[in-house]
Amino acid sequence: MLVLGTGNAAAQTVPAKINYSLKAGAVNAAATPFGSRTTAPIVTAVQRTVSTTTDMFSNAVGAVFGTRQPQTEIAKIAREARWLHNAGWPLYALVDRFSTGAPLGEQANCLATAVYFESRGESLEGQLAVAEVVMNRAASGQYPSTWCDVVKQPWQFSFVRHGQFPAINYNSDAWSKAQGIARLAMANVMRSVPNDVLWYHADYVSPSWGSRLTYVERIGAHLFYRA
């Protein structure tokens, strides 16, 4: 059941049969909580061998996605952002720093688009959480394995209409921030929600599936859940 809202998307549906066990390699125990001065090793974001024909890279939770975002670029962002974060840069400064850069590839663009439409009115921590839910879903084995397919899956995100995205104001501050969030999420610089969080909904709706899941935390107007 998808509950539609008037602003950002309200909720996602839960598969009829939930696999309550994630793959053993799906959880990155090294990742640190949001706001910590230390971060997961850079290698967690780029640890797998890439295919020269598809430009594959590993995301923070161990799943491999096809993307045009070069692995070397993600590693570069991870190195710089980690250094700056350890030097005391807060999330807002990091988002501003990485709001521009090389054009996003197809999958990264889908990730930023989800952030833009789902949470552009939320805090940056909340926007990062939305990006991480998309990435977590793709890594879980319960949902499609690419970020674009996760976002475009029917009846999951209310801003998607027949597999198409609405128009984006590419000159807006919100889109710049969404790109910065996407780059930081891909680089696994910090975590906003755990790797097993696959669902959230806005606080102005009460989807029936919420009672079947385990509440994790609230960030702004969004409530996050795990199985």
Side-chain angles (χ1 to χ4, degrees), residues 2 11 37 39 77 103 114 120 161 164 168 183 208 210 212:
L2 174 66
R37 285 298 187 89
T39 57
I77 292 172
R120 63 181 182 266
R161 293 288 187 271
Q164 300 298 315
I168 295 172
R183 290 185 177 99
S208 60
R212 307 200 305 271

Side-chain angles (χ1 to χ4, degrees), residues 161-195:
R161 293 288 187 271
H162 306 293
Q164 300 298 315
F165 297 149
I168 295 172
N169 181 357
Y170 293 110
N171 295 319
S172 66
D173 182 61
W175 177 242
S176 295
K177 289 179 179 177
Q179 292 182 85
I181 289 289
R183 290 185 177 99
L184 292 172
M186 288 189 298
N188 193 33
V189 176
M190 60 185 69
R191 297 291 304 183
S192 195
V193 295
N195 294 329

Side-chain angles (χ1 to χ4, degrees), residues 124-141:
L124 294 176
E125 182 183 8
Q127 293 183 44
L128 180 61
V130 166
E132 289 172 347
V133 167
V134 173
M135 296 172 73
N136 290 350
R137 282 190 171 198
S140 70

Side-chain angles (χ1 to χ4, degrees), residues 18-41:
I18 299 176
N19 178 3
Y20 285 88
S21 60
L22 293 176
K23 295 180 181 179
V27 177
N28 175 15
T32 58
F34 175 82
S36 171
R37 285 298 187 89
T38 59
T39 57

Side-chain angles (χ1 to χ4, degrees), residues 10 15 29 33 47 50 52 62 71 77 94 96 104 118 125 130 146 152 176 192 202 215-216:
Q47 60 189 353
V50 297
T52 57
Q71 187 179 16
I77 292 172
L94 292 173
D96 183 66
L104 297 178
E118 290 282 295
E125 182 183 8
V130 166
T146 71
K152 293 181 177 181
S176 295
S192 195
Y215 171 77
V216 176

